[in-house]
């Protein structure tokens, strides 16, 4: 199973989440490609069985500028593959991890099948609980995608 993980990270928190997701998916035998969102195009996603998109939340609940163009292009495209979103944020802001919700909206607009609610991690995955949340998210994503791809 070929999976693309597109992400954007400023402080490294979202990238750390991506590495945990990638590692867990590879343990399940997936071929995982990663790419920063400002280097990825929605048309690239057609060659994959599924996609995960990740971003930190910027300002008052926005996507960072590096992800905005990708999300706009994605929302205007058509990709009918299983997908989910993940990201990092700070609970001190009123719109905690809102970039995850914005990525899910873009995926839905593109016709992707969002298979589970987005993974939202405060700051970095630096505790056993946060790391387990990442592994569990990857496992659930794999199971959903496997079921959809096999049918």
């Amino acid at each position: 199973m070929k999976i693309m993980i597109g992400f954007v990270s400023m402080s490294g928190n979202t990238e750390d989440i991506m590495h945990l997701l990638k590692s867990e998916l590879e343990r399940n035998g997936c071929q995982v490609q990663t790419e920063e969102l400002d280097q990825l195009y929605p048309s690239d996603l057609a060659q994959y069985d599924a996609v995960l998109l990740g971003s930190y939340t910027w300002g008052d609940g926005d996507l960072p500028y590096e992800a905005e163009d990708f999300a706009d292009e994605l929302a205007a495209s058509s990709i009918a593959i299983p997908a989910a979103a993940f990201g990092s944020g700070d609970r001190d802001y009123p719109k905690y991890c809102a970039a995850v919700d914005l990525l899910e909206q873009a995926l839905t607009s593109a016709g992707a099948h969002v298979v589970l609610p987005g993974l939202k991690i405060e700051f970095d995955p630096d505790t056993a609980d946060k790391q387990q949340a990442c592994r569990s998210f990857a496992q659930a994503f794999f199971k959903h995608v496997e079921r959809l791809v096999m049918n």
Side-chain angles (χ1 to χ4, degrees):
M1 185 180 313
K2 289 175 56 179
I3 297 176
M4 167 55 74
I5 303 179
F7 72 100
V8 61
S9 188
M10 183 173 60
S11 63
N13 295 342
T14 305
E15 186 172 3
D16 289 347
I17 297 167
M18 178 276 296
H19 284 298
L20 286 165
L21 298 175
K22 180 179 191 267
S23 173
E24 192 65 27
L25 291 167
E26 287 175 340
R27 279 184 358 99
N28 283 286
C30 297
Q31 296 174 1
V32 182
Q33 178 74 35
T34 62
E35 193 65 65
E36 293 195 29
L37 289 181
D38 60 357
Q39 301 296 312
L40 187 64
Y41 298 94
S43 59
D44 297 336
L45 302 179
Q47 61 188 304
Y48 297 94
D49 297 310
V51 62
L52 285 169
L53 298 178
S55 177
Y56 62 96
T57 299
W58 181 250
D60 189 29
D62 300 317
L63 282 169
Y65 74 91
E66 312 96 306
E68 285 177 336
D69 288 344
F70 177 83
D72 290 344
E73 292 169 17
L74 176 62
S77 67
S78 178
I79 58 156
I81 62 174
F86 66 94
S88 59
D90 181 344
R91 290 189 191 277
D92 285 342
Y93 286 88
K95 295 182 181 174
Y96 173 67
C97 283
V100 173
D101 303 325
L102 294 171
L103 289 173
E104 286 178 337
Q105 290 168 12
L107 286 162
T108 300
S109 294
H113 180 63
V114 178
V115 297
L116 70 161
L119 172 67
K120 297 178 178 182
I121 299 290
E122 185 165 25
F123 304 121
D124 58 347
D126 61 349
T127 66
D129 286 348
K130 290 177 185 179
Q131 291 164 10
Q132 183 56 46
C134 293
R135 284 192 288 277
S136 295
F137 179 81
Q139 284 289 337
F141 182 73
F142 173 76
K143 288 176 183 166
H144 282 290
V145 172
E146 184 179 46
R147 191 167 39 246
L148 290 169
V149 171
M150 295 301 174
N151 289 333

